[in-house]
Amino acid sequence: QQQVKQSPQSLIVQKGGISIINCAYENTAFDYFPWYQQFPGKGPALLIAIRPDVSEKKEGRFTISFNKSAKQFSLHIMDSQPGDSATYFCAARNTGNQFYFGTGTSLTVIP
Amino acid sequence: NAGVTQTPKFQVLKTGQSMTLQCAQDMNHEYMSWYRQDPGMGLRLIHYSVGAGITDQGEVPNGYNVSRSTTEDFPLRLLSAAPSQTSVYFCASTWDLSTDTQYFGPGTRLTVL
């Protein structure tokens, strides 16, 4: 059973557009929600992360929106660039220090 | 710092063979973990360690063994490889899970025939 559900599976966006990736969870014991970016042949790298006591966190063009009551969080990439083309994973950590990952979203930004 | 290193990058095994995937980090991180990545499944935690001499099971531990004799190294052993273990394996480390990100290695692509 997937503990963190991620959508969409793939996303195509025009350069300059907004990319939005959504994740949902059920386990209220999750206390840390990172997003990872992965390029082909590489390991995932942390992009941005949020804790459940904050509703939004912004770092440059990347924003996490967090809705604790709905148990949902999303990644917004503003002014998407071709260099943002990668696979994005949301994740959640439980209080036992175990991470659960979403199934990934393949983002393609068209020039 | 080399960060998190993994060897080998690629490996082909026959069913029933055993092997060890190596992982090392030079950042003095206490927490290390192993994940497998399969298409459409994301990353799934196999085993993790919160310090030398301490290991615990993750989400998918069956068929894998780990040990942590030093802070730097965290090898993953496949005792009797099965085709279901064909995957890309990532090692990750962090100093403190409550404050720090996990740093991932470059991965090992394993094929079991």
Side-chain angles (χ1 to χ4, degrees):
Chain A
Q1 181 183 354
Q2 197 71 27
Q3 297 243 6
V4 179
K5 293 184 169 67
Q6 183 173 346
S7 64
Q9 185 175 347
S10 62
L11 182 61
I12 300 174
V13 172
Q14 292 278 354
K15 179 182 175 182
I18 302 173
S19 303
I20 301 174
I21 305 170
N22 301 300
C23 285
Y25 65 96
E26 288 296 326
N27 188 347
T28 56
F30 289 147
D31 63 358
Y32 177 67
F33 301 87
W35 284 90
Y36 286 86
Q37 180 187 56
Q38 185 180 29
F39 294 103
K42 304 292 185 183
L46 180 71
L47 191 61
I48 187 172
I50 198 167
R51 298 187 189 279
D53 54 347
V54 176
S55 62
E56 185 175 282
K57 183 174 181 180
K58 183 176 181 179
E59 291 184 358
R61 297 185 293 109
F62 301 92
T63 300
I64 299 178
S65 296
F66 189 86
N67 186 329
K68 188 174 182 179
S69 61
K71 290 184 279 189
Q72 295 175 349
F73 58 110
S74 60
L75 174 69
H76 295 237
I77 306 174
M78 313 299 288
D79 186 27
S80 298
Q81 299 297 312
D84 297 330
S85 297
T87 300
Y88 293 81
F89 293 96
C90 61
R93 184 192 70 196
N94 66 11
T95 51
N97 288 332
Q98 293 192 19
F99 280 82
Y100 295 88
F101 283 75
T103 51
T105 295
S106 177
L107 172 65
T108 302
V109 181
I110 300 172
Chain B
N1 285 353
V4 180
T5 58
Q6 291 183 239
T7 55
K9 288 188 70 68
F10 302 94
Q11 183 70 49
V12 179
L13 291 178
K14 293 181 179 178
T15 297
Q17 287 184 317
S18 63
M19 80 158 296
T20 300
L21 307 185
Q22 301 291 344
C23 174
Q25 51 89 12
D26 61 359
M27 298 174 282
N28 203 31
H29 285 170
E30 289 294 322
Y31 183 95
M32 296 185 73
S33 55
W34 276 102
Y35 293 87
R36 59 177 291 172
Q37 184 175 30
D38 302 293
M41 299 290 289
L43 287 93
R44 291 179 293 170
L45 182 65
I46 303 171
H47 284 285
Y48 65 100
S49 168
V50 298
I54 306 170
T55 63
D56 208 344
Q57 296 181 350
E59 191 179 354
V60 288
N62 292 342
Y64 308 94
N65 274 0
V66 292
S67 60
R68 185 94 179 270
S69 56
T70 67
T71 300
E72 296 77 20
D73 301 297
F74 190 44
L76 178 73
R77 297 184 189 85
L78 282 71
L79 304 176
S80 178
S84 61
Q85 294 179 302
T86 294
S87 187
V88 181
Y89 291 85
F90 288 100
C91 178
S93 75
T94 186
W95 170 249
D96 183 343
L97 266 183
S98 64
T99 59
D100 271 349
T101 180
Q102 289 195 89
Y103 293 88
F104 283 82
T108 293
R109 183 174 293 275
L110 175 68
T111 302
V112 182
L113 303 176

